[in-house]
Amino acid sequence: MRVGVVGVGAIGGTLAALLDRSGHEIAVAARGATLEAISSAGLQLTGAFGEYTAHPSAAETLPSGVAYDLVVFATKAMDASTALAANAGACVGTPVLIVQNGLDAITGAGELLPNSRLLGGLSVWAATQTRPGGILVTAPGSLVIGPTDDADPIVQLLGEAVPTSATRDLVASQWSKLVVNQVNALPAITGLSVQETVADPDLRRVLTASIRETVGVARAAGVRFARFQGLSDPLLSVIRGVPARLAEQLPRLMARRMGQVPNYGSTLQSIRRGLPTEIDYLNGAVVAAAARAGVAAPINERLTRLVHEVERTGVFLTPAEVAEQVR
Ligand SMILES: NC(=O)C1=CN([C@@H]2O[C@H](COP(=O)(O)OP(=O)(O)OC[C@H]3O[C@@H](n4cnc5c(N)ncnc54)[C@H](OP(=O)(O)O)[C@@H]3O)[C@@H](O)[C@H]2O)C=CC1
Ligand SMILES: CC(C)(CO)C(=O)C(=O)O
């Protein structure tokens, strides 16, 4: 099959390399140093999915006039509309998968790609772009796509590269992933890994509080959570209702599932590269949903502001400073 991948960073790079390894014909759209590196030396995957170098065709945009079986977008959320618009010609009549955290993957994409079937994707694996064209998978995991069911040929196609399952309720799965992504803000604010964040008592308290607040906002918005990465709707109700100390078992479990390799999260990766972060689409999405539902989300609001502060200043906060600012 012929697959186009736009955005060849941590997640898009993993998918492009694994699809190439499975024997599919891959074209990628990349820019700057990443385009140069892939064109000259290929796309190098290391880590939990094994070692492999792919040599896909690469250009600034996917050539149109080519019949793709699937086009995958894997940019950060704030770059998605520009990438969709620039590659719209290649997507006409083609199924499009947008792999993105937050709630917005396919919201609004229909206006830019009116003639494409749109699917959203949630990556359960964790990865880092170690250099342009070099991807390290730090924790293995599957891909969840929807709204669809497991009989979908796109699920089969992706499943040849990485374990893939379908969700009929993409929004419910996105909200569950939004709970998991509560682990992103604190590493971006402190420079610590997710595992170090959860091991620190002050940061674990803040993380637990932001998770519980997120569950409360979802309830106010009438959202039910999907089964996802060990989470479920009943479990999250319990986590919201039990004493905070007991609820801290959830972040501990989430960190354990990430394994031993330090996971810095995709938000801290942006900070380290001096780039704007996706935080408005993560904790910021919780704040926006809270406002729509007429409730407050002060912890998510504060975390969003602190991430923006670190984006601006480049100075990380200590766990004690964070604890002081997020009560
Ligand atoms: N990293 C992870 O472990 C996980 C990430 N996610 C989610 O996956 C999504 C992708 O994140 P991630 O892979 O980490 O991000 P990265 O920043 O590693 O990769 C994004 C890539 O998109 C490229 N890009 C942006 N705009 C365009 C464009 N117009 N044309 C071509 N390429 C473009 C960027 O290029 P450039 O370098 O030139 O800016 C970059 O290579 C996010 O929503 C993230 O939250 C989900 C689960 C885990
Ligand atoms: C869950 C986590 C933290 C995995 O790395 C992620 O989704 C991200 O980095 O954006």
Side-chain angles (χ1 to χ4, degrees), residues 101 123 125-127 177 180-181 183-184 194 229 258 263 265-267 269:
N101 281 335
S123 163
W125 75 87
K177 183 73 201 271
V180 175
N181 285 125
V183 303
N184 284 50
V194 175
Q229 244 181 312
M258 284 179 185
N263 183 338
S266 57
T267 311
Q269 289 171 40

Side-chain angles (χ1 to χ4, degrees), residues 113-134:
L113 306 179
N115 301 308
S116 300
R117 176 184 171 213
L118 295 176
L119 293 161
L122 296 163
S123 163
V124 177
W125 75 87
T128 307
Q129 186 188 298
T130 51
R131 58 173 173 77

Side-chain angles (χ1 to χ4, degrees), residues 14 44 57 107 111-112 125 139 148 174 201 241 257 265 278 323:
T14 308
Q44 196 188 6
S57 63
T107 320
E111 275 173 34
L112 293 164
W125 75 87
T148 188
Q174 286 174 323
R257 289 173 70 101
E278 230 179 2

Side-chain angles (χ1 to χ4, degrees), residues 203-227:
L203 297 179
R204 191 170 61 243
R205 173 190 64 75
V206 173
L207 174 55
T208 307
S210 78
I211 289 173
R212 282 152 63 99
E213 183 178 273
T214 301
V215 177
V217 170
R219 292 292 178 242
V223 167
R224 275 188 72 78
F225 293 100
R227 285 190 176 279

Side-chain angles (χ1 to χ4, degrees), residues 3-17 19 27-31 34 38 43 62 70-84 87 91 96-101 105-106 109 113 119-123 125 127-129 135 143 145 158 266 269-270 273 275 278:
V3 182
V5 179
V6 182
V8 206
I11 297 303
T14 308
L15 263 180
L19 283 161
V28 300
R31 49 190 194 182
T34 303
I38 295 175
L43 175 61
L62 294 178
L70 175 67
V71 174
V72 178
F73 286 83
T75 68
K76 290 272 168 48
M78 61 281 185
D79 295 326
S81 52
T82 306
L84 289 165
N87 291 278
C91 298
V96 167
L97 171 70
I98 303 170
V99 184
Q100 196 175 289
N101 281 335
I106 59 177
L113 306 179
L119 293 161
L122 296 163
S123 163
W125 75 87
T128 307
Q129 186 188 298
I135 312 297
L143 180 65
I145 73 167
L158 293 162
S266 57
Q269 289 171 40
S270 296
R273 278 186 233 133
L275 296 171
E278 230 179 2

